[in-house]
Tab-separated table of all heavy atoms in Angstrom:
chain	number	residue	atom	x	y	z
A	28	THR	N	19.513	25.461	5.604
A	28	THR	CA	19.332	26.780	6.180
A	28	THR	C	20.679	27.477	6.295
A	28	THR	O	21.721	26.850	6.483
A	28	THR	CB	18.685	26.679	7.572
A	28	THR	OG1	19.468	25.822	8.392
A	28	THR	CG2	17.283	26.128	7.466
A	29	CYS	N	20.652	28.803	6.157
A	29	CYS	CA	21.938	29.481	6.045
A	29	CYS	C	22.038	30.767	6.850
A	29	CYS	O	23.123	31.315	7.007
A	29	CYS	CB	22.246	29.764	4.579
A	29	CYS	SG	20.866	30.488	3.653
A	30	ALA	N	20.910	31.301	7.362
A	30	ALA	CA	20.933	32.442	8.273
A	30	ALA	C	21.769	33.602	7.752
A	30	ALA	O	22.549	34.218	8.477
A	30	ALA	CB	21.437	32.002	9.639
A	31	GLY	N	21.622	33.895	6.473
A	31	GLY	CA	22.261	35.081	5.916
A	31	GLY	C	23.707	34.937	5.513
A	31	GLY	O	24.336	35.893	5.074
A	32	SER	N	24.240	33.721	5.623
A	32	SER	CA	25.654	33.543	5.294
A	32	SER	C	25.825	32.573	4.145
A	32	SER	O	25.362	31.439	4.201
A	32	SER	CB	26.413	33.017	6.517
A	32	SER	OG	27.730	32.651	6.164
A	33	ASN	N	26.515	33.012	3.093
A	33	ASN	CA	26.783	32.121	1.968
A	33	ASN	C	27.752	31.013	2.344
A	33	ASN	O	27.839	29.997	1.663
A	33	ASN	CB	27.353	32.903	0.784
A	33	ASN	CG	26.284	33.784	0.136
A	33	ASN	OD1	25.099	33.509	0.254
A	33	ASN	ND2	26.721	34.838	-0.525
A	34	ASP	N	28.480	31.190	3.449
A	34	ASP	CA	29.458	30.177	3.858
A	34	ASP	C	28.788	28.857	4.205
A	34	ASP	O	29.420	27.802	4.148
A	34	ASP	CB	30.261	30.676	5.070
A	34	ASP	CG	31.148	31.863	4.725
A	34	ASP	OD1	31.458	32.039	3.525
A	34	ASP	OD2	31.520	32.606	5.653
A	42	CYS	N	22.729	32.244	-0.266
A	42	CYS	CA	21.799	32.379	0.854
A	42	CYS	C	20.901	33.587	0.617
A	42	CYS	O	21.381	34.707	0.426
A	42	CYS	CB	22.574	32.544	2.159
A	42	CYS	SG	21.517	32.570	3.617
A	43	LEU	N	19.565	33.346	0.616
A	43	LEU	CA	18.623	34.434	0.398
A	43	LEU	C	17.846	34.752	1.677
A	43	LEU	O	18.019	34.099	2.709
A	43	LEU	CB	17.657	34.071	-0.732
A	43	LEU	CG	18.312	33.894	-2.116
A	43	LEU	CD1	17.254	33.633	-3.168
A	43	LEU	CD2	19.153	35.106	-2.493
A	46	GLY	N	16.116	32.420	4.353
A	46	GLY	CA	16.885	31.561	5.237
A	46	GLY	C	17.305	30.243	4.649
A	46	GLY	O	17.760	29.358	5.369
A	47	TYR	N	17.186	30.077	3.315
A	47	TYR	CA	17.579	28.838	2.664
A	47	TYR	C	18.600	29.119	1.561
A	47	TYR	O	18.628	30.190	0.964
A	47	TYR	CB	16.371	28.125	2.032
A	47	TYR	CG	15.429	27.514	3.029
A	47	TYR	CD1	14.299	28.207	3.455
A	47	TYR	CD2	15.670	26.257	3.559
A	47	TYR	CE1	13.427	27.644	4.379
A	47	TYR	CE2	14.806	25.684	4.475
A	47	TYR	CZ	13.686	26.385	4.888
A	47	TYR	OH	12.830	25.824	5.793
A	489	THR	N	16.761	35.625	13.061
A	489	THR	CA	18.168	36.037	13.134
A	489	THR	C	19.064	34.809	13.176
A	489	THR	O	19.530	34.349	12.141
A	489	THR	CB	18.401	36.934	14.360
A	489	THR	OG1	17.974	36.246	15.557
A	489	THR	CG2	17.601	38.234	14.241
Side-chain angles (χ1 to χ4, degrees):
T28 55
C29 47
S32 171
N33 289 336
D34 293 339
C42 185
L43 296 184
Y47 289 95
T489 56

